Amino acid sequence: MQVNQSQILEALWETFYMTGASFVFSLVIGLPLGILLVVTRKGHLLENEVVFNILNIVINIFRSIPFIILMVAIIPLTRLIVGTSIGTAAAIVPLVFYAGPYIARLIENSLLEVDKGVIEAAQAMGASPGQIIFRFLIPEALSSLVLALTIAIVGLIGASAMAGAIGGGGLGDLAITYGYQRFDTMVMFLTVAILVVLVQGVQSLGNLMSRRVRRS
């Protein structure tokens, strides 16, 4: 059985869907965690050693688990949330658990690049911690944050392809089902080529947006 154009387009759409949905949910989780990792660390705005250490350990645990193992390990939770462990919707659950902590670390690193003088100046003006975070800290780190989130999206594209190993759909599933299991080299080459183009496109767009933010 040969792969037709409609199957390729469907797989591409599933990859877009998995990557986009998981990125949104991961950002909702990762953004506040990344901010907390910064502001609760020693000497920062809301210093809290207990909160920082707990978050640090939990995030490190999730980041140390390979994605392929994480997908299998949380199958019961995936079934509980979406009612199945197979398919595009099911793949989003492990993708969020994989990318959320990763995004938190990326955001943490970006925010830590902000000059402490900016925070000190905001404090001298009487700004509250919330105002410092959202009006000074994040805007100052915005260019770096754009690049960090671009890296996260690229990582999710790769992970979404890996989700095909457990029937997650998308280009990865197409490559495994037709390219690997049926020894169709052309399908394997085509899916890899599409993934390369996607990654290059996302990275180029991220770089462009970062430069524009930096100049504004």
Side-chain angles (χ1 to χ4, degrees):
M1 180 179 177
Q2 297 295 318
V3 175
N4 56 46
Q5 185 177 0
S6 64
Q7 288 175 301
I8 295 173
L9 291 175
E10 182 181 0
L12 183 60
W13 162 248
E14 288 174 348
T15 296
F16 278 130
Y17 174 66
M18 279 191 291
T19 303
S22 56
F23 174 70
V24 171
F25 289 123
S26 299
L27 185 60
V28 169
I29 294 171
L31 180 59
L33 288 180
I35 292 172
L36 281 173
L37 280 170
V38 172
V39 299
T40 59
R41 69 195 310 115
K42 187 175 181 181
H44 223 283
L45 293 172
L46 303 171
E47 180 179 340
N48 190 315
E49 189 175 350
V50 174
V51 172
F52 175 79
N53 286 333
I54 291 174
L55 285 178
N56 194 47
I57 292 171
V58 170
I59 289 173
N60 283 342
I61 289 172
F62 275 98
R63 287 193 64 215
S64 65
I65 304 173
F67 179 62
I68 192 71
I69 296 176
L70 181 64
M71 282 193 299
V72 176
I74 67 170
I75 280 177
L77 179 60
T78 302
R79 285 200 187 112
L80 182 65
I81 294 174
V82 298
T84 180
S85 61
I86 299 174
T88 306
I92 292 172
V93 177
L95 283 170
V96 171
F97 276 88
Y98 165 76
Y102 182 50
I103 287 177
R105 281 297 183 204
L106 290 173
I107 289 173
E108 177 193 20
N109 291 336
S110 294
L111 295 181
L112 287 175
E113 291 176 2
V114 176
D115 193 330
K116 290 184 178 180
V118 173
I119 299 173
E120 292 171 356
Q123 288 174 322
M125 290 187 289
S128 66
Q131 290 173 325
I132 293 174
I133 292 169
F134 294 104
R135 295 186 181 181
F136 294 91
L137 193 59
I138 291 178
E140 282 293 320
L142 195 55
S143 177
S144 177
L145 285 171
V146 170
L147 288 177
L149 294 179
T150 300
I151 293 171
I153 294 173
V154 169
L156 277 169
I157 291 173
S160 71
M162 204 183 304
I166 60 167
L171 292 169
D173 191 26
L174 191 71
I176 291 172
T177 302
Y178 292 93
Y180 175 72
Q181 295 178 351
R182 303 186 184 184
F183 306 102
D184 192 329
T185 306
M186 183 56 66
V187 171
M188 187 70 75
F189 175 80
L190 182 60
T191 52
V192 170
I194 293 173
L195 287 169
V196 169
V197 171
L198 283 178
V199 169
Q200 290 293 330
V202 168
Q203 189 64 62
S204 297
L205 181 61
N207 291 342
L208 177 63
M209 291 176 63
S210 177
R211 286 196 298 269
R212 289 190 175 181
V213 168
R214 192 180 299 119
R215 291 170 185 169
S216 61

